[in-house]
Amino acid sequence: MDRNDENDGSARIPQQRSSVPSFLFLIFMLFILTNHTGDEFLARNHYQDALQSLNYQLSNFTAWLNGTESNFTMPDRNAAATPLVGSFMSFGSRLNPQWGSYFSNVTGFAHGEIDFFNITPPSLGSATYSWRTHAETFMGDTNMTDLAGHFGSWNWTGSDKISWSIMDRAPISVKGVTEKIAMVHGRIDVRHPATSDDMKLDFEGVHFLANGSIYGFAEPTGRHIDIRYIPAFVPEAFQNDTARTIEPELMSRINKVKDMIDAGVIDQDSTNGEPQGGCGFSVYAQIAPSEIPAKYMEDLEDELQKPTGRWTVKRPPLKLNGVLLSRECGILYNLHDAEGLRSQLFFRKVATYAGISALVYLVQLLLLSRQVDRSRTPAGLSRVSLWTFLTQSIVDSVSFAGHITFAIIANGRPSLSLVAPAFVACVLFAFESQHAILINQVQAPEDAVAPPPPRPVQQEPSLPPQAVPTPTTAPPRSTGPTFLSLLFRHIRSDPQARIWLGMFFFLTFIVRVIVTPSLALVFVASMYSLFWLPQIVRSVKKGRSSALTAEYMIGTSLCRLFHALYFLTCPKNVLDVEPRRWMWYLAMFIFLQVAVILLQQRFGPAFFLPKRFARAQVHDYHPALPLSAADPEAPDESLGDCAICMEAIHTEDEKQLEHVTGGLLRNVGARRSYSLAPCQHLFHTECLEKWLAIKNICPHCRRPLPPL
């Protein structure tokens, strides 16, 4: 058979590429394009139902106000609640506008401590409270079976603090209403010290500007609040004015829902969530009066709403006292000495924090750039710890995600200011991650295992031509590697891919850190403890001091501790995080690590260890070597050729002897003119120093080299 015919006969048919990766990619794209849970559709239907319900409520409530036939009935006012609430707080009275006034707008946040009281009939039977009779009258013939079913899974008895977010609307003029009444709404978070979750209550109520009193309902999130019932428990003298104020509020909400439906704005958060318990509360609150005349208080309010820079009186503190009363659960919370913070002041506080935080991150970026410039060589990078920079990059990534999340939650003017520290933290994270990857590339050969010498390959005797069997059937078509196998092979062979993959999974974990307060505290304590500790361990292990400057370590420690100390030691931080005393001990531990590194640079890497542990295993590059026997007739004494410059290595190197004084040190100078690597390759000391400034592997066999 002709050779060409043989080649044609044995030519392999071109294999088609495996269709599995393409099929998986198409399935994934179809899943992304078609997958939806229907939340938007359900939310739109929810708004349609809410609009229909509001229209029905408004029509019935308007008919009731006009005295015509209606399906709405106002419940009787529970007069027993007034003396019970009056046992814990005093309602305000009208003040002389020339001598005092109340805050006309309390939009903002209030934080205070609460005292729990069990007012169920069995508990009151053995109580000795002065208000026991009022509580028994208020509870009446309560069914204990129904009461126990309303508690849910929340531990109401251990709650000790609340956070109250209030939105106070400007009062509107209504025909026939003589009092200035503003509608208020918001959310009350009841906190328990043993849990990270809060009981969230939606709040709806009214604010009487004349005496600073607030009345309203608080229901678990997900339960509807009917504001038409608010007039049922305000003072009897204000019931008619309150009822006429409710009507335009219902109209306003109807128009808002219509605008959202027409604009296609769907707030899915408003349609989600189920109540955590069945305890609804009646809220009674009183704003503490101030000694500022009403005219000056109005000027102060105008300046807060629309800053012009004009002079106003000093802002008085906003204090609140109140009672949260639940008849269906037999619970009474006494809110005392709650401090309020106006929204405008909170926005300024957030903007101030964002500016200082961005400045701190800029200082860190400057310190890092100066440190990188001073230790950019492989010799300098081999003296710093990879985990020191990797830990800091992880902390910066969490900080970036945290500031972005804070900006999204703020959703207003403060969100723009929070972008600045988030951006600088992101740049710092990228810079530190890149530097950590560079350190890993330089230090990776240190832990590499030298490859074993190749074994000789024994060739098996080939069979004679006539013994080779002729295949009778075509060999099975081999399938190419799948996408997953190629991806796994790439991750195993590329160290940078492993680092970025690890960072991806860690950033996924960061989301959980941000939303879980207890996990965030553990993260801060562990990460801040590992800033400089890996550098101490590496210096002891390698027997060389670090290449980190005192400027970088002290400055970075101060900048890092700014955020931790602010949120964990300042009681009035922007996130209202409770102070933690252990943060001060963590700060001292960080500076103790800095002090140890500085002492290592002065007294040695292992100065704090016993002598038997202080000796690091350092390779001796200058052992005693015999002269080369290659040319015994040579006039000079040669040790061999340098593996870098390929020139002979002489025991009496004139370049080296120029730095030696006297004949007594001549032998020492000659001995240091050569360097013998662990792989038994010989170099000039000067050549090896220049080479190690570029790479820390042997130029001949590519095996890792210890520091010279």
Side-chain angles (χ1 to χ4, degrees):
M1 180 181 293
D2 187 70
R3 184 181 301 270
N4 295 331
D5 296 335
E6 294 179 358
N7 292 339
D8 295 337
S10 62
R12 302 179 61 181
I13 301 175
Q15 298 181 1
Q16 298 180 354
R17 297 182 60 181
S18 176
S19 60
V20 175
S22 302
F23 176 77
L24 294 177
F25 178 78
L26 292 176
I27 292 296
F28 175 77
M29 294 302 298
L30 290 175
F31 176 80
I32 294 297
L33 294 175
T34 60
N35 177 61
H36 60 84
T37 58
D39 291 340
E40 183 177 349
F41 177 75
L42 294 177
R44 186 176 297 276
N45 287 340
H46 173 81
Y47 280 153
Q48 296 286 355
D49 296 340
L51 180 61
Q52 183 179 0
S53 176
L54 287 174
N55 285 320
Y56 178 78
Q57 293 177 12
L58 178 60
S59 61
N60 283 276
F61 189 71
T62 303
W64 176 81
L65 284 177
N66 297 331
T68 59
E69 184 179 356
S70 172
N71 293 328
F72 174 76
T73 302
M74 183 68 69
D76 296 333
R77 182 172 179 269
N78 191 348
T82 302
L84 178 59
V85 174
S87 302
F88 293 91
M89 56 173 287
S90 299
F91 290 98
S93 59
R94 296 179 182 272
L95 302 176
N96 187 341
Q98 297 181 356
W99 300 101
S101 61
Y102 295 97
F103 279 92
S104 60
N105 191 333
V106 292
T107 300
F109 308 92
H111 308 278
E113 297 181 355
I114 55 176
D115 299 326
F116 169 81
F117 295 96
N118 189 346
I119 59 174
T120 57
S123 177
L124 292 173
S126 58
T128 59
Y129 301 125
S130 60
W131 42 266
R132 170 185 171 183
T133 305
H134 302 313
E136 290 176 344
T137 305
F138 173 76
M139 293 300 296
D141 53 349
T142 304
N143 190 333
M144 293 300 299
T145 303
D146 296 339
L147 186 145
H150 292 157
F151 276 98
S153 59
W154 177 259
N155 185 6
W156 299 96
T157 60
S159 304
D160 59 351
K161 294 183 180 180
I162 69 169
S163 176
W164 192 355
S165 174
I166 311 173
M167 177 63 69
D168 198 343
R169 296 185 180 180
I172 58 176
S173 59
V174 181
K175 184 179 179 180
V177 176
T178 58
E179 292 289 337
K180 287 187 176 181
I181 304 176
M183 298 298 301
V184 293
H185 64 94
R187 191 178 70 181
I188 299 176
D189 295 338
V190 184
R191 299 184 177 181
H192 193 285
T195 61
S196 58
D197 297 330
D198 300 336
M199 168 58 68
K200 303 183 186 307
L201 304 173
D202 292 333
F203 171 74
E204 296 283 354
V206 291
H207 174 205
F208 294 95
L209 276 62
N211 60 359
S213 300
I214 298 176
Y215 302 86
F217 292 122
E219 297 285 351
T221 301
R223 181 187 293 184
H224 174 68
I225 300 178
D226 195 341
I227 63 175
R228 298 178 299 172
Y229 296 139
I230 293 179
F233 73 104
V234 301
E236 189 174 358
F238 302 127
Q239 284 186 351
N240 292 333
D241 290 346
T242 304
R244 296 189 180 278
T245 306
I246 297 297
E247 185 179 10
E249 176 65 20
L250 289 174
M251 295 181 180
S252 175
R253 298 190 178 189
I254 290 174
N255 295 330
K256 180 181 178 181
V257 174
K258 288 181 178 179
D259 294 339
M260 296 181 68
I261 294 177
D262 295 339
V265 178
I266 303 299
D267 184 11
Q268 297 182 10
D269 294 337
S270 63
T271 64
N272 296 334
E274 297 181 355
Q276 298 170 286
C279 295
F281 292 87
S282 301
V283 180
Y284 305 83
Q286 179 60 47
I287 303 173
S290 67
E291 299 179 355
I292 299 177
K295 183 179 182 304
Y296 292 153
M297 182 63 78
E298 292 177 1
D299 294 340
L300 177 61
E301 181 64 28
D302 293 340
E303 183 65 20
L304 287 176
Q305 295 292 339
K306 299 178 180 179
T308 60
R310 63 176 178 173
W311 177 88
T312 59
V313 295
K314 184 179 179 181
R315 180 183 61 86
L318 177 59
K319 298 288 186 178
L320 288 174
N321 293 310
V323 171
L324 280 72
L325 191 59
S326 176
R327 187 176 186 273
E328 58 183 349
C329 291
I331 296 175
L332 187 149
Y333 285 129
N334 179 27
L335 172 64
H336 51 85
D337 297 330
E339 296 184 1
L341 180 65
R342 295 293 305 278
S343 297
Q344 289 77 10
L345 299 177
F346 174 75
F347 294 160
R348 296 179 185 178
K349 189 175 182 179
V350 172
T352 303
Y353 159 77
I356 298 176
S357 180
L359 182 61
V360 169
Y361 279 122
L362 285 175
V363 173
Q364 287 183 241
L365 191 59
L366 176 62
L367 293 172
L368 178 62
S369 62
R370 290 170 61 90
Q371 174 62 41
V372 170
D373 290 339
R374 294 174 181 176
S375 60
R376 64 173 59 184
T377 62
L381 294 175
S382 63
R383 296 171 57 190
V384 297
S385 174
L386 166 67
W387 292 103
T388 293
F389 291 91
L390 192 60
T391 303
Q392 295 189 58
S393 66
I394 292 172
V395 172
D396 289 329
S397 64
V398 175
S399 178
F400 164 71
H403 282 91
I404 289 296
T405 305
F406 191 11
I408 295 174
I409 294 176
N411 191 22
R413 287 175 292 178
S415 61
L416 298 178
S417 60
L418 290 169
V419 173
F423 173 74
V424 183
C426 182
V427 174
L428 192 61
F429 159 71
F431 200 4
E432 288 169 339
S433 300
Q434 183 181 8
H435 192 59
I437 292 175
L438 183 60
I439 294 175
N440 180 70
Q441 292 177 347
V442 172
Q443 297 181 1
E446 295 180 2
D447 301 327
V449 180
R455 297 180 179 180
V457 179
Q458 297 181 358
Q459 298 182 355
E460 298 181 357
S462 58
L463 297 175
Q466 62 275 11
V468 178
T470 302
T472 57
T473 59
R477 186 180 65 179
S478 59
T479 59
T482 62
F483 172 77
L484 294 178
S485 62
L486 290 176
L487 179 63
F488 182 72
R489 187 183 307 172
H490 175 70
I491 294 175
R492 290 187 58 186
S493 60
D494 191 354
Q496 294 189 20
R498 292 196 299 269
I499 292 179
W500 286 110
L501 185 63
M503 290 297 297
F504 169 77
F505 285 109
F506 191 85
L507 291 176
T508 306
F509 171 74
I510 287 174
V511 177
R512 190 62 181 173
V513 172
I514 295 175
V515 299
T516 308
S518 57
L519 190 59
L521 295 178
V522 175
F523 174 82
V524 170
S526 58
M527 291 293 102
Y528 274 65
S529 301
L530 296 177
F531 276 163
W532 312 114
L533 192 60
Q535 181 61 57
I536 298 175
V537 175
R538 178 173 178 81
S539 297
V540 173
K541 183 179 179 181
K542 299 299 180 181
R544 302 183 66 188
S545 60
S546 70
L548 302 178
T549 62
E551 172 194 83
Y552 173 73
M553 291 186 293
I554 297 176
T556 301
S557 299
L558 291 174
C559 294
R560 295 290 181 189
L561 288 174
F562 164 76
H563 296 90
L565 291 176
Y566 173 72
F567 286 110
L568 296 180
T569 61
C570 180
K572 295 184 179 181
N573 56 80
V574 294
L575 295 181
D576 194 31
V577 180
E578 293 293 330
R580 302 296 195 276
R581 294 184 58 184
W582 53 262
M583 186 59 216
W584 294 108
Y585 299 103
L586 180 60
M588 291 187 291
F589 180 65
I590 291 175
F591 280 105
L592 177 62
Q593 297 177 39
V594 174
V596 170
I597 296 177
L598 294 177
L599 292 176
Q600 283 180 321
Q601 296 176 355
R602 183 175 181 85
F603 300 107
F607 74 95
F608 56 91
L609 295 178
K611 293 184 177 179
R612 58 178 180 175
F613 299 108
R615 294 182 179 179
Q617 297 181 357
V618 182
H619 175 71
D620 183 14
Y621 276 94
H622 312 292
L625 295 178
L627 298 179
S628 175
D631 190 5
E633 302 295 334
D636 54 350
E637 299 175 349
S638 174
L639 297 175
D641 295 336
C642 175
I644 297 178
C645 66
M646 306 306 295
E647 295 184 0
I649 303 176
H650 303 284
T651 55
E652 297 183 359
D653 193 343
E654 298 297 333
K655 296 181 180 180
Q656 182 72 20
L657 294 178
E658 291 178 359
H659 303 284
V660 182
T661 305
L664 295 177
L665 298 179
R666 184 177 183 87
N667 293 332
V668 179
R671 186 178 184 181
R672 291 185 178 273
S673 63
Y674 65 89
S675 295
L676 183 64
C679 53
Q680 302 303 313
H681 291 117
L682 196 61
F683 310 93
H684 285 115
T685 301
E686 183 178 0
C687 296
L688 186 59
E689 287 178 348
K690 295 179 180 179
W691 173 261
L692 290 178
I694 303 174
K695 293 184 178 180
N696 58 347
I697 57 176
C698 177
H700 190 72
C701 63
R702 318 295 293 180
R703 294 178 181 176
L705 294 179
L708 180 60

